[in-house]
Amino acid sequence: MIYLDYSATTPVDRKVLNTFNKVCLEYPGNSNSLHKLGTEAKELEDFATKKIEMLLNLHNSEIIYTSGASESNNQVIKGICSRYQNRGKHIITTFLEHSSILSTVNYLSSQGFMVDYVKIKENGRVDLDHLKQLLNNDTILVSICAIDSELGIRQPIEEISNMLKEYPKCFFHVDCTQALGKISINFDLMDFASASAHKIYGMKGIGLLIKKKNIMIDNLIHGGKSTTSYRSGTPALPLIVSTMKALDLIIPNIDKNYEYVEKLQKIILAKFKSYPDIFINSTEYSIPYTINISIPNIKPETFVHAMDEYDIYISTKSACSSANTMSDSVYAVTKDRDKAMRSIRISLSFLTTEDEIEEFLRVFDICYHQLRLKG
């Protein structure tokens, strides 16, 4: 098996799984209970949270544990709009965002909020001049991903953060799900950040919402006491500690892993450029972990299934996107509907070997020529 869909999800690191199992077996108590088992669980919970804050270099922020980045995105967007709608009802985002953001702002537009989408340049980056034009005194939220899930384009977060300093009523949310563990992130630049453990070789079912301590938001989930007052539910201690382990394994190796994956990316791009009719949607601002292409006259689903037969796994779009629709992200960059309907994503990892890339390219060539003949 050759797995090249790491942007959708990553395999759990065995050390992370061992940590999860150990906490499940050895810490049965609820960290909010007053007895000894509860106290022991609370001490471990606090230790893990402090370690995560250290690994992520968080200074004036707190962590809200969620079920994943989709919940984190819903929590922050709905939480801000609920609490601060008296300041204004204007939201700014992009068409590069994950569906959990686009669907949420679409819902809020039906509730009387005004949503604007920043233009995307040909290189895939936000048009800062257009963003400045959109900002006004009613803007309460700007939500822009650090790296999008389909083209892997890195956005100018520092420049956006500096621009928003002129709008003290406006909060800045950054979806860091595709960035965490791949690039260094300065969380001081943003008011809120979302992430998910299953993208960094952690367990499915836990996400992070990083929030500046001086900001209040309304709850998405109400109920009893938890790790914070912003999200109710029994603290998922095994998931929290296993996320700490996943971060502890990946954060120190970001630069080394990036350099290695970049080498693999160059091998793949060199081969793709040899095909006269394959369009590379990724731009110079795409990180090496994600490669996005379009192949004319071949349905992307057909190509993915053809590769499946060789036990090689790639994808068409974000795993959370609707099937048989065009990629909003690819269209935002290319302005070409056909390319957006035929996009294919190959996503890499530091676990990917050069031998796997060689075999992938060999099979890709076979499928490409077979499907062109059928087309």
Side-chain angles (χ1 to χ4, degrees), residues 277-278 294-304 306 338 341-344 364 367-375:
D277 60 347
I278 289 182
S294 294
I295 308 176
N297 304 316
I298 299 176
K299 291 183 178 179
E301 295 84 3
T302 303
F303 201 94
V304 167
D338 189 60
M341 289 293 295
R342 299 183 184 279
S343 67
I344 293 172
F364 182 96
C367 294
Y368 170 80
H369 286 101
Q370 286 179 344
L371 293 173
R372 281 194 74 194
L373 288 173
K374 289 181 181 179

Side-chain angles (χ1 to χ4, degrees), residues 2-30:
I2 299 176
Y3 183 73
L4 297 173
D5 195 19
Y6 288 93
S7 290
T9 193
T10 59
V12 178
D13 187 288
R14 189 170 295 276
K15 293 177 182 177
V16 173
L17 182 60
N18 290 341
T19 298
F20 176 85
N21 290 336
K22 182 179 176 67
V23 177
C24 282
L25 295 171
E26 298 182 10
Y27 290 83
N30 185 323

Side-chain angles (χ1 to χ4, degrees), residues 80-90 113 137-138 140 169 171 218:
I80 287 174
C81 289
S82 172
R83 192 172 190 91
Y84 298 102
Q85 58 184 302
N86 62 314
R87 296 184 180 181
K89 303 186 77 171
H90 183 224
F113 286 84
N137 290 330
D138 288 327
I140 58 170
K169 293 194 300 182
F171 297 105
D218 286 346

Side-chain angles (χ1 to χ4, degrees), residues 185-291:
I185 305 170
N186 182 357
F187 291 99
D188 292 337
L189 297 172
M190 50 201 81
D191 297 309
F192 299 89
S194 307
S196 192
H198 77 96
K199 305 290 190 180
I200 56 168
Y201 313 90
M203 305 293 293
K204 294 176 178 65
I206 182 167
L208 306 176
L209 175 56
I210 298 165
K211 179 187 74 67
K212 283 188 176 175
K213 287 181 179 177
N214 60 334
I215 301 174
M216 305 285 287
I217 57 173
D218 286 346
N219 286 29
L220 184 65
I221 298 175
H222 298 83
K225 183 181 178 184
S226 188
T227 58
T228 74
S229 62
Y230 295 102
R231 201 268 193 185
S232 297
T234 302
L237 185 62
L239 290 173
I240 292 170
V241 180
S242 66
T243 299
M244 175 203 73
K245 185 65 175 179
L247 287 166
D248 196 28
L249 290 170
I250 201 167
I251 294 296
N253 296 306
I254 282 178
D255 292 339
K256 181 183 71 173
N257 292 341
Y258 191 98
E259 184 178 343
Y260 171 71
V261 173
E262 191 172 37
K263 181 172 71 170
L264 301 181
Q265 178 216 33
K266 288 178 180 178
I267 295 171
I268 296 172
L269 289 179
K271 177 63 176 177
F272 284 168
K273 288 176 181 177
S274 70
Y275 295 93
D277 60 347
I278 289 182
F279 187 86
I280 299 172
N281 299 315
S282 303
T283 77
E284 66 268 31
Y285 289 105
S286 296
I287 63 170
Y289 287 86
T290 306
I291 300 171

